[in-house]
Amino acid sequence: MTTDVPAPSESATYSQLLHAPGVPWLFAMSLANVLGHSLQIFALSVLIYRQTGSAAWSSLAFAAGFLPQLVGGTSLTSLADRWPARPVLAASAAIRAAVASLLALGDLSPGVSIGMVALFAMWQPVPQAVQSALVTRLLTGDLYVLGRSVFSLISSGSQLLGLALGGAVIAALGPSSTFLVAAAVHLLGMLASLAIPSRGTAERPEGRWRLGETWSGNLRLLRNHAVRRILLSWWVPITLLVGAEALVVAYVGERGGSSAQTGVLLAAFPAGAAVGDVVVGRWLSPGLRRRVVPWLYTLVGVALLPLVWYPGTIATVTCFAVASAATAYQLGSQQAFLDAAPVDRRGLAFGLFGTGLMVGQGLGPVAAGALADVVGSGATMTVLGTTVLVSAVFLARLPRIPHAAPDGRPLA
């Protein structure tokens, strides 16, 4: 199968994207992975709560699928540049299915169940980095940027679908059977991964892998000015916006609002992000997409400024939706990130991005919550928006990327 590649000044289309060899299977695998994970974590939280009657144990079960990824993200993601993609992706999906099947037994202790999930979560950053690096070899130019926007849509949409389906499936079948549904979804993801073209690794690092390779490689990437600046421009606004999102319950409670209002406000975040990904990823030309990066970055902060006045439900929904939509500025710097990262370390670079994003999503709510206890949630959201604006002075503009050498490596 062949696909038309858009000219450098033209926007790629969804039709061109879906006709790229292997890409529909990659999307299907990603959908299955996220959906299966959401079902599994939801069912585990319910099962652990039923076993223990403890909210703390239930929360720990939910966190077990995420927090241990920090360990893998800082120690294992350099493997993504050494191993061929298809076996890693297929084996990881098979292991997910096996873990979900074991959880379906139902008679495991809470500690054993949480431990199994946490152990695989440590490995999870590796297939994520492998997938991100594979996309750079399957898609080029504006097709790559549009592909990244579709992955964002799949991630947010399947998480919401997983949570919605999780409640219905658990109510109908119970947690144990829900684990079996999750296992079946993961097996579908494994089958999809086997249909992805075998492209191997673009360029393998020299020498044998060692445990400290990821850490030292991350440090080298962060010493690269362009890579560091782009990563910070992606991490900082998202960290602060997630902090604002974590305050929604308190924000509504401070004004005596209802749980229905809370749900509407929370839904504004993924809805706005989806709109931003579609508009920026599909309807802006590559040149315009790059030019609007500083403006959209700034808009993330501006949209949070009115919240100190508690402007009402409609206005607040608009603020949250606009701030989330503006995070699509990241699509305008995707190509710059590829140009700045060494070709043989792209898997590691995407692993570093994911690790930093995960850390920020953990630290943002903690810092925002601590400040909100002092000044209130509305004022805290405005402070978070102001901080985004201050960071825009230093991070919003794309760095200059040295011309690439013939082998694709940046010259500096």
Side-chain angles (χ1 to χ4, degrees):
M1 181 185 296
T2 60
T3 182
D4 295 329
V5 177
S9 61
E10 296 178 348
S11 297
T13 66
Y14 291 116
S15 176
Q16 291 171 327
L17 183 64
L18 293 175
H19 281 83
V23 170
W25 294 112
L26 197 59
F27 288 154
M29 183 200 70
S30 179
L31 175 62
N33 289 345
V34 179
L35 181 57
H37 183 261
S38 298
L39 287 170
Q40 178 177 304
I41 290 299
F42 196 161
L44 181 64
S45 299
V46 172
L47 177 64
I48 296 299
Y49 184 76
R50 290 182 180 180
Q51 288 178 332
T52 65
S54 168
W57 271 100
S58 180
S59 297
L60 181 61
F62 189 87
F66 299 96
L67 291 181
Q69 292 186 34
L70 177 60
V71 178
T74 55
S75 61
L76 300 175
T77 51
S78 57
L79 290 169
D81 295 307
R82 292 181 173 273
W83 291 348
R86 188 164 61 184
V88 172
L89 296 175
S92 298
I95 295 172
R96 291 188 193 98
V99 171
S101 298
L102 288 173
L103 292 171
L105 296 176
D107 55 357
L108 301 175
S109 69
V112 171
S113 297
I114 292 174
M116 283 197 307
V117 172
L119 187 62
F120 181 78
M122 292 173 58
W123 171 253
Q124 180 63 17
V126 177
Q128 288 176 342
V130 166
Q131 176 180 303
S132 295
L134 177 61
V135 175
T136 68
R137 301 195 293 276
L138 295 178
L139 299 172
T140 59
D142 202 54
L143 279 175
Y144 168 75
V145 177
L146 184 60
R148 294 291 297 182
S149 75
V150 172
F151 277 114
S152 296
L153 288 170
I154 289 174
S155 178
S156 57
S158 53
Q159 285 181 33
L160 290 173
L161 180 61
L163 292 174
L165 286 178
V169 174
I170 289 173
L173 304 177
S176 294
S177 295
T178 302
F179 287 128
L180 292 178
V181 174
V185 172
H186 285 312
L187 287 176
L188 291 176
M190 183 190 71
L191 294 176
S193 69
L194 293 174
I196 296 171
S198 180
R199 295 291 178 91
T201 54
E203 184 175 342
R204 297 176 187 270
E206 298 178 356
R208 297 180 61 183
W209 184 84
R210 62 189 189 282
L211 185 59
E213 183 176 314
T214 300
W215 184 260
S216 60
N218 285 339
L219 291 178
R220 284 195 297 272
L221 285 170
L222 290 174
R223 284 197 292 268
N224 181 315
H225 168 72
V227 170
R228 181 177 67 250
R229 184 167 165 179
I230 293 172
L231 285 175
L232 287 173
S233 75
W234 290 348
W235 289 337
V236 172
I238 298 301
T239 295
L240 298 170
L241 185 60
V242 169
E245 184 178 5
L247 295 177
V248 168
V249 173
Y251 187 81
V252 174
E254 289 171 3
R255 286 296 183 269
S258 65
S259 57
Q261 287 176 296
T262 302
V264 170
L265 295 183
L266 287 173
F269 289 93
V275 171
D277 283 328
V278 171
V279 172
V280 176
R282 172 62 186 91
W283 298 111
L284 298 189
S285 67
L288 181 57
R289 194 184 297 128
R290 291 190 293 270
R291 290 194 295 273
V292 300
V293 167
W295 300 102
L296 291 178
Y297 187 115
T298 303
L299 185 58
V300 176
V302 170
L304 298 178
L305 297 183
L307 298 172
V308 66
W309 294 293
Y310 297 84
T313 300
I314 295 177
T316 302
V317 165
T318 302
C319 289
F320 289 156
V322 169
S324 296
T327 60
Y329 73 86
Q330 295 181 56
L331 296 175
S333 50
Q334 290 286 342
Q335 187 60 52
F337 185 64
L338 288 187
D339 293 340
V343 173
D344 62 344
R345 291 295 182 183
R346 283 181 176 172
L348 181 65
F350 283 109
L352 177 58
F353 162 65
T355 301
L357 194 64
M358 181 184 59
V359 171
Q361 289 176 328
L363 294 179
V366 172
L371 182 59
D373 282 342
V374 178
V375 301
S377 59
T380 298
M381 290 181 182
T382 297
V383 169
L384 295 173
T386 303
T387 306
V388 173
L389 294 180
V390 172
S391 71
V393 175
F394 305 97
L395 301 174
R397 292 191 176 277
L398 292 177
R400 292 184 178 275
I401 309 296
H403 291 294
D407 63 357
R409 293 176 179 270
L411 294 176

